[in-house]
Amino acid sequence: MMFTLLYQHLLGLCFFVCLCGGSNQLDHIYDSYPTKSSLPDSVPQSPHPQFVYNHSANVTAILHKTAHLNCRVKGVGNKTVTWIRHRDTHLLTAGRYTYTSDQRFRAIHQVLSEDYLLEISTIKVTDGGLYECQISTTPIMSHYVYLQVSDPQTTILGGPDIYFKEGNTMNITCLVKDSPEPPKFIFWYHKEQTISYASPRGGISQITEKGDITASFLLIQKARTTDAGLYSCKPSIGNMASANVHIVRSKDPAHWVTSSVATMFKFHTMGCFVWLGVGVVIYHLYTFISI
């Protein structure tokens, strides 16, 4: 009797499994579905990691700034992505870890991210060259990224000495060349003081045109002798450039007298009067003693 009841229960269980679709229900016993059913049929599956080249491009960095070299890898799986300096095959990073004593280098990688970044701070000219991104497949997969170090140059046209006629409009032009990107801003200075475009002097403006060569024009209306002196422009990237500005007081270049020369003449004249006064005093003292 007991055997007959057990047999009936087993038949009922088999009938229930077949009715509900046993194979689909049993799949839930496992932590994850089989690989074949876990992805839509439209998603291509690659047995190897792949570089995403349009997100792993060459980099142009500015001298003394920070550079980021990126290597994007799809389907990395259990492989390791490393950065190697090509010229001396020095291992720099592996995954999220840095393997160099040079603290300017740093690995940047977030969990589940496809991007493996190599950060280089305070860029030097010697940092330029090829860097190799490797994937630890067999054989090893490699992608090369070239780092170019740029040193933008700043100049003031007409320097180091520029002459303007008193009363005319001053136009001092600052150029920034060899920069991978236009500077975000350019500051102007007069005698090491930041120029204020809202100063009581008035008539001061700046025009900036950005491009492969960025130009900044400092315009000062109705030049005065007090406008003379050292002018400097400092872009957000690149070096500072300076020039001495002189204000002339004559139409004839042969008789140009700049503000600096006028100042020297003023002090020279004052010196002559002082010495003349001393001479008169000595003469009178000598005459008084002789009497």
Side-chain angles (χ1 to χ4, degrees), residues 34-46:
T35 304
K36 186 175 181 180
S37 61
S38 63
L39 293 174
D41 294 337
S42 60
V43 176
Q45 300 181 45
S46 174

Side-chain angles (χ1 to χ4, degrees), residues 20 51 61 106 132 138 148 173 196 212 214 234:
C20 297
F51 291 112
R106 185 168 72 101
E132 183 178 354
T138 304
Q148 179 179 347
T173 304
S196 172
D212 293 337
T214 297
K234 178 67 176 75

Side-chain angles (χ1 to χ4, degrees), residues 102-118:
D102 191 339
Q103 297 183 357
R104 298 182 305 115
F105 292 84
R106 185 168 72 101
I108 300 177
H109 174 67
Q110 297 181 356
V111 178
L112 301 180
S113 171
E114 296 178 342
D115 293 319
Y116 294 82
L117 286 94
L118 173 65

Side-chain angles (χ1 to χ4, degrees), residues 142-159:
S142 295
H143 172 64
Y144 295 94
V145 175
Y146 187 82
L147 173 63
Q148 179 179 347
V149 179
S150 176
D151 185 15
Q153 295 298 314
T154 308
T155 57
I156 292 182
L157 288 182

Side-chain angles (χ1 to χ4, degrees), residues 46-53 56 71-84 91 93-95 114-116 131-144:
S46 174
H48 301 292
Q50 295 178 340
F51 291 112
V52 182
Y53 295 107
S56 310
C71 183
R72 180 171 291 186
V73 180
K74 276 187 173 295
V76 68
N78 61 352
K79 306 302 181 184
T80 302
V81 178
T82 59
W83 276 103
I84 296 173
L91 176 64
T93 67
E114 296 178 342
D115 293 319
Y116 294 82
Y131 290 81
E132 183 178 354
C133 176
Q134 285 189 355
I135 307 175
S136 61
T137 52
T138 304
I140 289 176
M141 298 175 62
S142 295
H143 172 64
Y144 295 94

Side-chain angles (χ1 to χ4, degrees), residues 250-270:
S250 172
K251 295 182 180 180
D252 184 2
H255 297 90
W256 274 3
V257 178
T258 66
S259 54
S260 57
V261 172
T263 303
M264 292 175 60
F265 179 76
K266 177 180 178 181
F267 282 109
H268 179 72
T269 304
M270 290 176 61

Side-chain angles (χ1 to χ4, degrees), residues 109-206:
H109 174 67
Q110 297 181 356
V111 178
L112 301 180
S113 171
E114 296 178 342
D115 293 319
Y116 294 82
L117 286 94
L118 173 65
E119 180 183 88
I120 312 174
S121 59
T122 319
I123 285 287
K124 302 177 181 178
V125 174
T126 54
D127 291 327
L130 282 176
Y131 290 81
E132 183 178 354
C133 176
Q134 285 189 355
I135 307 175
S136 61
T137 52
T138 304
I140 289 176
M141 298 175 62
S142 295
H143 172 64
Y144 295 94
V145 175
Y146 187 82
L147 173 63
Q148 179 179 347
V149 179
S150 176
D151 185 15
Q153 295 298 314
T154 308
T155 57
I156 292 182
L157 288 182
D161 292 284
I162 306 174
Y163 295 86
F164 295 103
K165 181 185 174 184
E166 186 177 17
N168 284 0
T169 297
M170 298 168 54
N171 182 355
I172 310 174
T173 304
C174 176
L175 298 180
V176 181
K177 305 177 182 179
D178 303 326
S179 176
E181 61 183 16
K184 295 180 180 179
F185 56 81
I186 297 179
F187 288 147
W188 280 94
Y189 301 87
H190 180 214
K191 298 178 181 178
E192 301 183 353
Q193 298 295 319
T194 304
I195 293 178
S196 172
Y197 305 104
S199 66
R201 192 254 185 247
I204 303 175
S205 59
Q206 177 187 0

